[in-house]
Structure formats: C-alpha cells, structure tokens
Amino acid sequence: MFESVTSLQEETWLRSFEGTDLTGAPRPVSACWELDGAVDENALSEALYALAMRHEGLRRSFPWLSDDPLRAWVDSDVVVPIQVLEAAADEETARRDLLDALITPFDARAAPLWRVVLVQPSPSRSYVGFSADHMICDGISLKTFLKELALAYGQAREGKPIDLGPPAPAYSDFARRQRDAFAGAWGEERRAFWTEYVSKHGKYPPECGLAHPRGADAPGNRQLLKVHIDAASMKEANEAARQWRVTKFALVTSTLLTAMSHVTGDSRAGLSLDIHGRLLPGAGAGIGLFSHGVPLNVDLAGELYARDRARAVADGLAEMLKYGVPLRGACPKWDLDITRSHASNFILYSFNAAQWAHHFQLGGVPARIYKLRPPKEQRPIWHPGFLDIEATETPEGLTVEAHFDDSTYALPRMKEWLDRTAHEIRSLAIE
C-alpha cells in the first residue's frame, strides 16, 4: 500500500539525487559484529522476519521516485535478505568481502532496503553485518533493531514463539503526525523560532572558524586524529555534569566549543549537531529515518568558568532539541533562506554513548564491533570543507575523533583543537 513519507526522507532522496548531500549519513549505513560462536541461520532468519513484519519501515520502498510529492510503498510481506558468504582464506580478504557486501548500494525502488550478511569461518567464530539505506534507518533505529533481534533470536533458537511486546509505532503514523504538526501551531512556533534564528546567525551549517584552506590547487589527503580521555577523568566529568545540572552531551559539547574559541581567538563558535529527531509522541521505539542536523551557535564571551559555559551550551541544546526540524526540507517551504547560504567549511558533530553496541549479544554469545575499514576511512569525507567529529563513550572512557581533509584543515591546528578539548575535559575535576 502507499504511505506518506517524512520531510526528512524526501529531503534525503532529493539531496542524494541532485548530488548535494554534503552533510548526511552514508548510503547505505552499515555495521558489523564478531561473535565467539556459531549462529543458527534458521533462527536468525525467523527473528529477522519477525522484525520486518513488526516495523513497517523495514518493508518500505520508493518505486515511483519521480512522484511529487514522493510516496512510499509498504509491502505486506518480506523475503528476509540474509546473504551468506564463504569464509575467505585470510582476514584481509574476509574484511573486504564483508565490506563489499554491506556497502553495495540499494535500489530504492525495490524492498527490502536492508540486508544481513553472515560469515562463519568456524564453529567458534562468526561475523554478522547489517546495512540499510539511510532512507529507512538511522543510528538510533539500529539500537532498537539490535535489542529486538537479540530477543527474537533467543526465542526462535529455543523453539519458542517470538513475542516482542506491544506493537511497534508505525513510521507512516509518524509521517502523518509530522505533516499535521507542521500545518498547525507546532509548525508555526518553529517557523517563528527559525525566522528569528536565521536573521541572527545566517548560515546553516555554521561556518567553521578552524578552517585554513591552502587553495584550490593544493591537493588534500584524508586525515584522522583522535584523543582519548580515560574513564577516571570521565567519572569526574560526569560528576561535574550532575552538580551543574547539565547533560553529559552538553558538557562535552561545551569543551569542544571552548577549545574552538581558544584556538580561533573568536568567542563565537558553532557546529551542526546530529540530533535524534524523535520529538513527536510514539517515535522513540520505531525504526526509520528520524535523526537530522541542526545548527548550534554560541558566544562564550564573558563565560569565565566551565560551569557557565556548560550551562550556556545546555541552554542552546535545549532550544535545538525543542525546535529542531529537518531544516533543509522545512525552510524552503517557509521561505527562509538559511539553506541558500551554505557554509563552505562546517562541522557535523555526533555524540555516541556506545555501550549498547559493545554489549550486544546474540543467543547469549557476546558480540564485538568489527571494523571493516582502515581507521582513516571509518567515516566519509563528502568534500574538503566537511569536518566530521564523533565523540564515543565506552567503559574505557571517551574518544573524540576528527575526520577531515588537510587541504582545508591544517594538521597542527586540528591537533591543537583536540588536545585543548581533552585538556578542558580533564580540567573539570579541578574547577
């Protein structure tokens, strides 16, 4: 049957079709896990079928991509897309085979727009990979997918009926609620907010002051820099966040912006945040495309203490979470020019509390993240002005990674920024 799409799905398709998807996630999105044990293929297939029938987003496709407005087709049934690969002779070949299978693009016109890849080199080792077109899945949806997959697989393996609890919210219901909300007071409130915001700050994403381009004739190389803050320092940071009544996300974001201001000498700092986008009721437990970017601009002039900077950033984040909408889809309809003055150099920043991914189990067998790409290729660089920052927290502490092109972002300047960020976090116990 035909169903509505969200403005974010429509925007994602149009940007990729026009070749202008500079800040979105890669298509497809993918991840892989290594398990110390065998996987029951039949139980896995049964579990995946249960998830696909539970979440209509996993049965979506877009057969008539030229339609205006874009519509989705939701199949009433699904063939579970498990691809079983032969074990390769060496690990490097195995990684490449897995990666090739997972990153093969989907045809958005034909469901399913997701796949699972399984490799079992021996009874004591298995690899399970998942990929999906970004049109139907985001990172938080993957968390829901893995949680329910673990439960369904365990039940199927024991020969029990699969019971995943109350019905999951339908993505089409979210699409209808979003459209109705945009047409009413909810949408008008956000239009007023962004009209004022655009007049004050202008470009989206915010221009990144860390850039120092070498010129069009200077070829660049993909670079990866990272800093690690140990668990003891993060424990102190978490306590500071608790005492100051700010979230850990706000605290870490404030240290990044403080360090940026220190390096650039400008009290004004900004970046584009990747937020969950689940603002309407019933979206939290669904699988689909919800997350999107929003700008965060702050002026830290006069904020002498880490506590005050953290609270200023927390206030800005609260506004973004309250009023955040997929701006590239909404603003043209609102006649706002925020999307017509795209920053040439910008940051996309995400904070990932990755314990859930590291604690994933399948049939009681612990699964570890298995990285398929070399470190410098873990995150995509869409064009030289794109600076991708990912902060990931694990039981071992916090790692902040920067993926960038050194024709725009000089290595010494980037290293100074990350080192200063780590210094700001480690100093929280002193203040």
Side-chain angles (χ1 to χ4, degrees), residues 118-415:
L118 175 63
V119 183
Q120 303 201 79
S122 73
S124 61
R125 178 159 298 180
S126 302
Y127 299 93
V128 178
F130 172 82
S131 66
D133 193 291
H134 193 45
M135 290 274 282
I136 66 159
C137 187
D138 59 17
I140 297 178
S141 295
L142 180 57
K143 179 179 179 180
T144 299
F145 181 91
L146 293 177
K147 178 182 177 181
E148 294 187 355
L149 175 61
L151 178 58
Y153 176 83
Q155 293 171 344
R157 196 161 178 258
E158 294 173 5
K160 299 177 180 179
I162 294 177
D163 181 6
L164 298 174
Y171 192 79
S172 55
D173 289 342
F174 171 77
R176 283 189 287 269
R177 286 197 305 271
Q178 185 191 65
R179 185 178 62 247
D180 293 343
F182 268 119
W186 187 89
E188 283 302 314
E189 184 181 10
R190 278 146 187 80
R191 179 176 182 174
F193 173 84
W194 288 110
T195 298
E196 181 180 352
Y197 197 93
V198 169
S199 66
K200 181 178 180 181
H201 296 290
K203 290 183 179 180
Y204 168 67
E207 192 79 39
C208 177
L210 291 165
H212 189 68
R214 298 202 304 258
D217 296 331
N221 297 302
R222 168 178 273 183
Q223 299 291 346
L224 165 64
L225 288 179
K226 63 174 69 177
V227 292
H228 181 75
I229 296 91
D230 60 74
S233 296
M234 285 308 299
K235 183 178 179 180
E236 297 288 350
N238 291 336
E239 178 60 22
R242 187 188 68 81
Q243 291 187 12
W244 300 344
R245 298 177 181 268
V246 300
T247 64
K248 188 188 309 180
F249 180 38
L251 189 66
V252 173
T253 305
S254 72
T255 62
L256 280 164
L257 293 171
T258 298
M260 185 187 302
S261 180
H262 173 84
V263 172
T264 63
D266 189 343
S267 64
R268 297 166 299 175
L271 42 73
S272 181
L273 297 162
D274 188 18
I275 66 171
H276 57 73
R278 289 159 166 80
L279 299 176
L280 297 174
I287 290 179
L289 177 58
F290 300 91
S291 63
H292 58 85
V294 292
L296 175 66
N297 293 274
V298 296
D299 190 338
L300 300 176
E303 306 291 2
L304 300 179
Y305 299 102
R307 175 196 60 212
D308 299 328
R309 294 192 293 269
R311 287 176 176 170
V313 169
D315 289 343
L317 286 172
E319 281 192 325
M320 294 304 102
L321 291 172
K322 178 179 179 180
Y323 295 105
V325 294
L327 288 176
R328 295 191 174 279
C331 284
K333 299 174 183 177
W334 290 344
D335 295 323
L336 301 183
D337 63 358
I338 191 171
T339 62
R340 301 187 189 119
S341 55
H342 194 288
S344 55
N345 306 303
F346 55 92
I347 299 173
L348 179 63
Y349 164 61
S350 58
F351 183 91
N352 177 23
Q355 288 91 334
W356 60 268
H358 289 264
H359 294 167
F360 171 54
Q361 293 192 357
L362 200 59
V365 179
R368 300 177 296 277
I369 292 288
Y370 187 66
K371 294 188 175 182
L372 300 175
R373 298 177 187 266
K376 286 186 181 182
E377 298 179 15
Q378 290 297 331
R379 302 281 284 184
I381 301 297
W382 299 104
H383 76 108
F386 179 37
L387 169 55
D388 188 11
I389 301 296
E390 184 177 31
T392 302
E393 187 180 28
T394 66
E396 289 73 40
L398 180 77
T399 300
V400 182
E401 294 186 352
H403 296 257
F404 58 96
D405 187 305
D406 62 10
S407 68
T408 302
Y409 300 97
L411 273 167
R413 192 174 177 88
M414 296 303 299
K415 186 176 188 306

Side-chain angles (χ1 to χ4, degrees), residues 74-147:
V74 179
D75 287 339
S76 59
D77 204 353
V78 66
V79 176
V80 175
I82 296 182
Q83 184 176 352
V84 180
L85 302 181
E86 294 292 331
D90 60 90
E91 185 168 359
E92 185 58 35
T93 303
R95 285 180 188 270
R96 179 52 57 185
D97 289 347
L98 274 165
L99 180 62
D100 288 345
L102 290 171
I103 66 172
T104 298
F106 293 91
D107 181 351
R109 297 169 295 183
L113 299 182
W114 58 282
R115 69 175 68 94
V116 169
V117 180
L118 175 63
V119 183
Q120 303 201 79
S122 73
S124 61
R125 178 159 298 180
S126 302
Y127 299 93
V128 178
F130 172 82
S131 66
D133 193 291
H134 193 45
M135 290 274 282
I136 66 159
C137 187
D138 59 17
I140 297 178
S141 295
L142 180 57
K143 179 179 179 180
T144 299
F145 181 91
L146 293 177
K147 178 182 177 181

